[in-house]
């Protein structure tokens, strides 16, 4: 009989219990003992929820991030966080690595570790930092202790580890050209030590996550797999190597030849490979099929799944395991908590809990296909799928016709940037190195409370709008006082940059408890794209108009781009993503045009998820980038030459998509660059990026205050790569997670640095160059 297991359960808690426990602890409002008690009770509850499975995961619980836990386990923490190599690690050290340490603490400041996207998800991990002579030591025992904890509670515990090759791949070396594979020899003995300890704690199986098997790997990395896993064999412990997020592709032979007891495949994204793998699987090896989608929230088509599974079960018998395609970290916990979803939509959905129940049904259906319970479950599933297929909620003929008309033109702005730039400079008359921010200002407790009361009906629409207008007024006043050049309204009215837009569009559904961890204690509640998308009414217009009415300086209109709405929502799976992106683009275009007509001359269309949406395999890039950049251009192709379009991106590497960034043809792009100390700009230099760039000059995730000297240093580095006439000065990203005092203090420093640099750059420039530059930025020649 097939066995069922899970790759990972969401740790944050159905009601974000871990988030609140962490934030209380960090604020000094609760003790470490309280925090640990919350952790223990969440783990126990989550294992209990999974008790119907044959094996439950351990190690999916992390205090901040599972990659950080692995780094701590292996003793790979930066010394600046107070870690002495070779010594045991405590939770506070872990948090210092993740969050940095503010200036006012007793021991100076330290920068947080860099955070970046976990494959193509909206989850962010902390990048392991390898030193020149990195040594590894088993330094942190959370996984071992939790394995004992689960076993003591009567569970068949399967510890989950990030495999050594994926772990190395995710990290960065002090010397960027260093060969990380050289670290393997020292790393493997510590993995062995860990595996032995897990076996001694009572584990029979471990899951070694190696999702880099979904990537195009260089040959030495492919070759390293077999010998690594040979060296990791431990008597009495069976290993399941798990690949997810894609097909194995040209890593298929590598995976099949691994000297391990089992292999997990992402059968949702890599379903085409099942036949080939079953045919070549060594006898006695376990094949775990990730048949239930761990990345989306639609119910599984159980009949279709069984059609795939039956012949495999026939061939493999007990050696077949069933699982979700990947960890359920990326979906909300429990659909049964939802009380406000449309009645017809609810049966179409499955969250983590329901996905595990689907596995139970699939197992039963393979074992006893004709049992009344199975027949009933399949009947309910069929009915849900049929109702969704034929629902009137899905189709809007006029939206589809509009998209149809769109597909034929490429949506480039007719006038070249160089010409637009002159016109825009003449209009806005901005100084050299204009200053701006990325959009959001602090989302204070008062703002969130007001929104909660409004949602509960305890604060009227008028009262709520009044409070939000007061926030806008405050944000504008602060920015004027700081003497920023291009202002923003501050996004006070938005719960989230994606959910907020979804709420104003047709075709979306929303959850109350559908929280998914984004990083650390921060969560998002992705809206669900159920049907065709269109704008119901203007979305941001009144807020933007109000903000602009308060100042003579330009206020940027602030929109979320179609690709980002797509990536950060749960998307429909009944049409190509590209078509949904086109529908979203038309909706955003309507908003852009309304803003322009209302006199908003600068409009930012955020696309931080453009890079995240990139397929993991290069062969799929061209097609994606063509439709994604097209969707962006659709939003702004028809604005006047004098309307300045900004875009913003964060948490991404851009080297490999520079052509596409250029193809967006935004007048200004603002980027997160401070943590890489402007290294991200190398690609912009190399490709002679033609338009304007605002490289982020300070990290908004840290409460650490930047200094004028540090910002000046970064901007000097930027100016070595990009002519100063093309540069803006801004923070890395939005300021919603900061407090007002931190925000004002940091921006004050930023503006001071900008003024200092302006003088410097203007003095340094040779006369002729200065004249050209002045003309380019709209100043009268001297
Ligand atoms: C830019 N980023 C974003 C990503 N994805 C998005 N969908 N949105 C993004 O902005 N991915 C990449 C990055 C990730 N960065 C962040 C940064 C900050 C957060 C964050 O702060 N999340 C909040 C939740 C935000 C939200 O939706 N708020 C709602 C509901 C607030 C709430 O919890 N209400 C409570 C009551 C609170 C009270 O009374 O004080 C309740 O309803 O019970 C809102 O503002 O209305 C978080 O708290 O984690 C996320 C990603
Ligand atoms: N405008 C958004 C972008 C975040 S990526 C903000 O400022 O929060
Ligand atoms: Zn950002």
């Amino acid at each position: 009989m097939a066995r069922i297991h899970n790759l990972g359960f969401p740790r944050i808690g159905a009601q974000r219990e871990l988030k609140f426990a962490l934030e209380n602890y960090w604020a000094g409002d609760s003790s470490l003992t309280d925090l640990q008690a919350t952790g223990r009770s969440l783990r126990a509850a989550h294992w209990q929820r999974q008790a119907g499975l044959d094996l439950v995961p351990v190690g999916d619980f992390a205090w901040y991030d599972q990659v950080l836990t692995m780094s701590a386990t292996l003793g790979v923490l930066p010394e600046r966080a107070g870690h002495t190599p070779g010594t045991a690690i405590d939770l506070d050290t872990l948090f210092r690595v993740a969050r940095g340490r503010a200036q006012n603490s007793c021991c100076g400041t330290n920068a947080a570790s860099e955070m970046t996207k976990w494959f193509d998800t909206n989850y962010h991990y902390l990048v392991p930092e390898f030193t020149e002579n990195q040594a590894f030591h088993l330094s942190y025992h959370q996984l071992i202790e939790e394995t004992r904890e689960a076993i003591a509670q009567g569970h068949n515990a399967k510890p989950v580890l990030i495999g050594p090759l994926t772990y190395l791949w995710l990290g960065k070396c002090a010397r960027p050209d260093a060969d990380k594979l050289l670290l393997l020899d020292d790393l493997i003995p510590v993995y062995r030590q860990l595996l032995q300890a897990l076996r001694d704690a009572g584990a029979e199986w471990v899951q070694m996550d190696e999702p880099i098997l979904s990537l195009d790997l260089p040959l030495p990395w492919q070759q390293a797999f077999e010998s690594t896993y040979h060296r990791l064999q431990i008597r009495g412990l069976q290993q399941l190597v798990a690949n997810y997020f894609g097909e194995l592709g040209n890593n298929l032979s590598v995976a099949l030849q691994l000297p391990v007891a089992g292999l997990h495949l992402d059968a949702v994204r890599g379903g085409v490979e099942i036949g080939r793998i079953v045919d070549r699987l060594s006898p006695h090896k376990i094949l775990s099929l990730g048949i239930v989608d761990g990345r989306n929230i639609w119910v599984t088509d159980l009949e279709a799944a069984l059609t795939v599974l039956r012949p495999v079960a026939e061939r493999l018998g007990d050696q077949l395991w069933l699982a979700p395609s990947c960890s359920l970290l990326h979906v909300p916990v429990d659909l049964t908590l939802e009380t406000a979803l449309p009645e017809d939509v609810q049966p179409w959905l499955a969250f983590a809990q329901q996905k595990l129940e689907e596995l139970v049904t699939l197992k039963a259906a393979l074992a006893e296909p004709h049992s009344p319970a199975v027949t009933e479950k399949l009947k309910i599933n069929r009915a849900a799928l049929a109702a969704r297929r034929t629902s009137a909620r899905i189709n809007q003929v006029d939206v589809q016709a509009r998209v149809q008309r769109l597909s034929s033109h490429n949506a480039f702005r007719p006038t070249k940037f160089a010409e637009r730039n002159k016109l825009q400079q003449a209009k806005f008359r901005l100084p050299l190195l204009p200053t701006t921010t990325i959009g959001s200002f602090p989302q204070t407790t008062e703002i969130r409370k007001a929104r909660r009361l409004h949602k509960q009906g305890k604060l009227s629409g008028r009262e709520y709008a009044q409070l939000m207008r007061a926030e806008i007024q405050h944000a504008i006043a602060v920015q004027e006082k700081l003497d920023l050049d291009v202002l923003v309204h501050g996004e006070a009215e938005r719960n989230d940059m994606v959910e907020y837009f979804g709420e104003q569009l047709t075709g979306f559904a929303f959850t109350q408890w559908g929280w998914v961890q984004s990083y650390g204690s921060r969560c998002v509640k992705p809206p669900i794209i159920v049907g065709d998308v269109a704008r119901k009414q203007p979305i941001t217009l009144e807020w933007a108009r109000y903000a602009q009415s308060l100042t003579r300086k330009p206020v940027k209109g602030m929109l979320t781009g179609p690709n980002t709405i797509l990536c950060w929502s749960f998307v429909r799976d009944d049409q190509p993503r590209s078509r949904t992106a086109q529908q979203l683009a038309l909706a955003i275009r309507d908003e852009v045009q309304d803003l322009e007509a209302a006199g908003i001359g600068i409009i930012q269309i955020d696309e931080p998820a453009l890079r995240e949406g990139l397929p993991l395999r290069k062969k799929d890039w061209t097609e994606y980038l063509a439709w994604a950049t097209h969707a962006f251009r659709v939003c702004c192709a028809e604005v006047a030459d004098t309307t300045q379009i900004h875009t913003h991106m964060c948490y991404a590497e851009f080297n490999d998509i520079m052509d596409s960034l250029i193809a967006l043809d935004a007048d200004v792009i603002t980027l997160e660059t401070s943590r890489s100390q402007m290294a991200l700009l190398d690609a912009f230099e190399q490709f002679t990026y033609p338009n304007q760039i605002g490289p982020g000059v300070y990290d908004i995730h840290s409460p650490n205050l930047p200094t004028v000297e540090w910002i000046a240093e970064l901007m000097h580095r930027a100016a070595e790569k990009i002519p100063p006439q093309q540069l803006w000065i801004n923070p890395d990203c939005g300021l919603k997670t900061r407090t007002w005092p931190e925000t004002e203090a940091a921006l004050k420093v930023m503006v001071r640095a900008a003024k200092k640099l302006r003088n410097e750059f203007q003095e340094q420039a040779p006369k002729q160059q200065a004249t050209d530059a002045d003309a380019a930025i709209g100043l009268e020649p001297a």
Side-chain angles (χ1 to χ4, degrees):
M1 196 182 0
R3 300 179 91 192
I4 51 177
H5 72 124
N6 186 16
L7 271 58
F9 197 81
R11 52 183 161 257
I12 203 74
Q15 304 196 343
R16 293 181 295 162
E17 292 87 342
L18 182 58
K19 171 197 172 64
F20 299 117
L22 284 167
E23 291 176 359
N24 283 337
Y25 176 67
W26 293 334
D29 295 340
S30 69
S31 67
L32 188 59
T33 315
D34 296 332
L35 178 62
Q36 282 167 334
T38 304
R40 246 191 328 274
S41 95
L42 278 172
R43 289 192 296 273
H46 295 166
W47 289 324
Q48 205 47 49
R49 278 177 180 273
Q50 301 174 84
L53 303 180
D54 297 304
L55 295 104
V56 299
V58 177
D60 47 358
F61 181 85
W63 292 108
Y64 199 95
D65 160 44
Q66 72 272 12
V67 181
L68 178 62
T69 312
M70 202 65 222
S71 292
T73 307
L74 300 167
V76 186
L77 295 189
E79 287 185 41
R80 64 174 187 278
H83 168 59
T84 310
T87 61
I89 289 167
D90 62 13
L91 210 47
D92 289 327
T93 310
L94 208 76
F95 290 146
R96 275 198 300 279
V97 175
R99 310 176 66 234
R101 176 166 44 196
Q103 224 144 18
N104 58 3
S105 91
C106 62
C107 326
T109 66
N110 80 263
S113 275
E114 199 176 319
M115 201 165 65
T116 198
K117 291 276 177 180
W118 176 246
F119 296 83
D120 59 349
T121 74
N122 194 6
Y123 177 79
H124 306 68
Y125 71 91
L126 285 153
V127 179
E129 296 177 30
F130 305 127
T131 56
E132 196 89 17
N133 299 306
Q134 182 68 54
F136 300 94
H137 305 276
L138 190 55
S139 305
Y140 184 68
H141 294 178
Q142 185 184 332
L143 181 59
I144 303 163
E145 285 158 13
E146 288 173 7
T147 300
R148 287 201 197 99
E149 188 177 303
I151 292 171
Q153 289 170 29
H155 301 289
N156 188 4
K158 176 194 52 161
V160 178
L161 292 77
I162 296 170
L165 287 150
T166 293
Y167 179 71
L168 283 183
W169 180 271
L170 297 175
K172 65 168 190 188
C173 290
R175 246 184 343 105
D177 57 341
D179 178 4
K180 289 186 279 186
L181 283 179
L182 295 177
L183 297 172
L184 259 182
D185 275 349
D186 290 334
L187 181 59
I188 287 173
V190 184
Y191 263 87
R192 283 191 62 87
Q193 223 183 322
L194 174 61
L195 291 171
Q196 276 158 352
L198 293 170
R199 178 202 55 195
D200 296 346
E204 289 169 10
W205 276 93
V206 291
Q207 175 185 316
M208 304 288 271
D209 284 356
E210 292 284 13
I212 61 166
L213 288 167
S214 282
L215 307 180
D216 297 312
L217 292 178
L219 193 60
W221 283 81
Q222 282 187 321
Q223 287 170 335
F225 265 89
E226 194 177 348
S227 62
T228 298
Y229 279 88
H230 263 295
R231 293 165 68 190
L232 284 179
Q233 291 188 32
I234 304 285
R235 200 185 302 275
L237 184 69
Q238 316 222 60
Q239 297 182 34
L240 177 83
V241 167
N243 178 50
Y244 42 81
F245 298 150
E247 294 173 9
L248 285 163
N250 63 353
N251 299 320
L252 192 139
S253 296
V254 171
L256 279 169
Q257 281 158 20
L258 288 177
V260 291
L263 189 61
H264 169 86
L265 293 188
D266 181 333
V268 175
R269 292 190 177 180
V272 289
E273 296 181 333
I274 296 173
R276 247 172 299 156
I277 286 167
V278 172
D279 285 345
R280 292 177 54 190
L281 195 73
S282 306
H284 313 302
K285 254 194 193 173
I286 295 295
L287 180 64
S288 161
L289 288 185
I291 194 79
V292 168
D293 193 351
R295 293 288 300 274
N296 215 331
I297 43 59
W298 304 107
V299 290
T300 305
D301 181 338
L302 294 176
E303 291 285 7
L306 285 166
T307 306
V308 171
L309 294 176
R310 276 189 204 105
V312 184
E314 193 105 325
R315 293 267 292 273
L316 299 184
D318 291 351
Q319 286 160 249
L320 173 65
W321 289 13
L322 308 179
S325 57
C326 58
S327 164
L328 296 175
L329 177 67
H330 311 289
V331 293
V333 177
D334 190 354
L335 182 68
T336 62
L337 294 176
E338 300 298 329
T339 53
L341 274 165
E343 225 169 89
D344 56 327
V345 172
Q346 188 127 354
W348 307 347
L349 308 178
F351 293 176
Q353 188 68 44
Q354 289 66 43
K355 285 176 187 287
L356 298 179
E357 286 159 15
E358 289 181 341
L359 287 177
V360 173
T361 304
L362 287 170
K363 175 180 170 174
L366 288 176
E368 300 173 76
H370 304 298
S371 88
V374 166
T375 308
E376 182 58 20
K377 288 262 163 53
L378 294 184
K379 190 173 143 201
I380 294 170
N381 180 252
R382 253 194 320 273
L385 295 167
R388 182 175 163 211
R389 262 194 304 272
T390 52
S391 165
R393 197 181 273 288
I394 310 280
N395 294 304
Q396 281 190 65
V397 180
D398 51 338
V399 175
Q400 292 166 3
R402 205 173 165 208
V403 166
Q404 207 63 36
R405 287 196 297 277
L406 180 74
S407 42
S408 56
H409 82 96
N410 66 18
F412 277 100
R413 287 177 85 176
T415 308
K416 294 273 169 264
F417 169 74
E419 187 57 29
R420 297 198 309 262
N421 188 34
K422 283 188 204 146
L423 298 170
Q424 290 167 19
Q425 297 297 3
K427 177 175 172 188
F428 298 112
R429 303 190 65 77
L430 297 170
L432 182 68
L433 306 174
T435 52
T436 191
T437 61
I438 305 303
S440 59
F441 275 122
Q443 276 281 329
T444 59
T445 315
E446 293 73 38
I447 296 177
R448 294 236 157 110
K449 186 170 166 212
R451 190 153 39 248
R452 191 189 54 200
L453 292 176
H454 175 47
K455 279 199 171 151
Q456 291 170 345
K458 295 179 186 158
L459 195 66
S460 72
R462 262 181 62 157
E463 288 166 316
Y464 176 68
Q466 196 60 43
L467 286 172
M468 293 303 116
R469 272 197 292 273
E471 291 293 336
I472 292 172
Q473 206 173 3
H474 174 244
I476 296 289
V478 169
Q479 293 171 88
E480 288 216 307
K481 195 174 89 201
L482 288 164
D483 201 19
L484 286 152
D485 299 309
V486 173
L487 313 192
V488 296
H489 79 291
E491 303 181 27
E493 78 289 359
R494 301 183 189 179
N495 45 8
D496 172 73
M497 61 184 283
V498 166
E499 198 182 9
Y500 175 75
F501 279 86
E503 281 168 357
Q504 322 267 345
L505 298 169
T506 66
F508 278 79
F510 307 93
T511 63
Q512 295 151 286
W513 299 103
W515 294 102
V516 177
Q517 195 178 4
S518 182
Y519 69 88
S521 68
R522 299 286 177 176
C523 299
V524 294
K525 192 143 59 60
I528 303 170
I529 306 181
V530 175
D532 291 332
V533 174
R535 194 181 68 147
K536 292 185 219 162
Q537 69 269 315
I539 302 170
T540 64
L541 187 62
E542 280 318 308
W543 304 116
R545 213 184 240 152
Y546 176 66
Q548 187 63 82
S549 76
L550 300 171
T551 176
R552 297 186 59 192
K553 290 196 169 178
V555 176
K556 271 193 283 191
M558 194 56 60
L559 306 175
T560 304
N563 296 293
T564 298
I565 300 181
L566 185 79
C567 268
W568 292 352
S569 301
F570 289 119
V571 291
R572 52 194 291 194
D573 56 358
D574 57 350
Q575 71 176 19
R577 291 167 76 85
S578 55
R579 195 164 321 142
T580 309
Q582 288 175 323
Q583 295 181 357
L584 287 160
L586 286 169
I588 297 301
R589 170 153 85 179
D590 292 343
E591 188 70 12
V592 167
Q593 288 175 345
D594 280 353
L595 286 171
E596 184 185 51
I600 305 296
I602 304 185
I603 302 171
Q604 180 170 312
I605 305 170
D606 288 325
E607 283 289 25
L610 182 84
R611 177 70 173 73
E612 176 186 314
L614 198 63
L616 294 178
R617 283 255 152 65
K618 280 214 164 97
K619 67 177 171 51
D620 305 319
W621 284 16
T622 312
E623 188 196 343
Y624 163 75
L625 287 167
W627 64 253
T629 53
H630 178 259
F632 179 87
R633 288 195 305 269
V634 164
C635 303
C636 45
E638 288 176 12
V639 298
D641 294 340
T642 47
T643 297
Q644 189 171 72
I645 298 293
H646 290 219
T647 189
H648 162 73
M649 295 180 193
C650 41
Y651 318 105
E653 302 267 339
F654 301 110
N655 301 35
D656 41 14
I657 59 162
M658 277 310 300
D659 287 337
S660 304
L661 292 195
I662 294 171
L664 294 180
D665 198 21
D667 297 303
V668 183
I669 183 168
T670 55
L671 300 165
E672 182 230 331
T673 41
S674 83
R675 279 198 265 188
S676 76
Q677 288 153 35
M678 300 287 155
L680 271 179
L681 289 185
D682 291 349
F684 288 77
E685 178 186 23
Q686 198 187 327
F687 281 74
T688 336
Y689 184 77
N691 302 8
Q692 303 205 11
I693 311 178
V697 293
Y698 75 89
D699 173 15
I700 55 86
H701 286 100
S702 165
N704 297 354
L705 192 63
T707 62
V708 171
E709 294 68 35
W710 178 237
I711 292 180
E713 156 81 20
L714 288 182
M715 286 307 292
H716 277 287
R717 281 190 210 176
E720 279 166 20
K721 304 169 202 265
I722 314 282
Q725 298 75 23
Q726 270 173 268
L727 292 173
W728 288 57
I729 297 196
N730 45 262
D732 265 347
C733 184
L735 298 159
K736 64 184 163 208
T737 58
R738 302 264 53 91
T739 62
W740 270 112
E742 286 164 351
T743 298
E744 289 193 51
L747 290 177
K748 198 167 163 185
V749 171
M750 188 185 89
V751 173
R752 240 191 300 140
K755 289 182 176 169
K756 177 174 177 295
L757 287 162
R758 255 172 225 158
N759 290 335
E760 236 180 83
F761 285 141
Q762 263 154 359
E763 269 167 30
Q764 274 168 14
K767 201 83 192 141
Q768 183 54 46
Q769 252 185 350
T771 315
D772 291 348
D774 289 349
I777 61 170
L779 297 176
E780 298 300 333

